[in-house]
Amino acid sequence: SSELACVYAALALHDDGVEITAEKISSMLSAAGVTVEPYWPSLFAKLCVGKDLGAMISSIGAAPSAGAAAAPVAAAAGGGAAPVAAAAKAAEPEEEEEEAGDFGLFD
């Protein structure tokens, strides 16, 4: 699709350390033989202005877990270390105790 082609062109420009502009995206797409609507390159160039693409790429999939998100909320609410420790302990899965007996799958 046009969007994906522009994303790849912008990533390639970023990887080469080149400023991402609509003209450079358009020239990469035409060199690759990809035809897109004329507004796509300028849209993606404007999107990339002032953004740290390296940080965006590095942070993909690095979202904090639910337990990690609870700690700042508790600290912001004026809670001390005890609520944070209780939340961390509550987040740990409990192991089920095995019951004594001879229970088999086919008994």
Side-chain angles (χ1 to χ4, degrees), residues 4-106:
L4 190 57
C6 290
V7 167
Y8 286 146
L11 288 173
L13 290 169
H14 171 73
D15 190 48
D16 287 341
V18 179
E19 181 183 2
I20 300 171
T21 65
E23 295 79 25
K24 291 179 183 171
I25 292 175
S26 295
S27 67
M28 284 192 69
L29 294 176
S30 63
V34 178
T35 305
V36 298
E37 295 292 326
Y39 62 86
W40 284 114
S42 63
L43 183 69
F44 274 87
K46 289 178 184 176
L47 176 80
C48 295
V49 171
K51 305 287 189 302
D52 184 3
L53 294 182
M56 290 172 74
I57 294 167
S58 298
S59 68
I60 292 175
S65 66
V73 172
V84 174
K89 184 173 180 171
E92 294 177 9
E94 295 182 21
E95 295 182 19
E96 295 183 19
E97 294 182 22
E98 293 184 21
E99 294 183 23
D102 293 320
F103 294 105
L105 183 60
F106 299 107

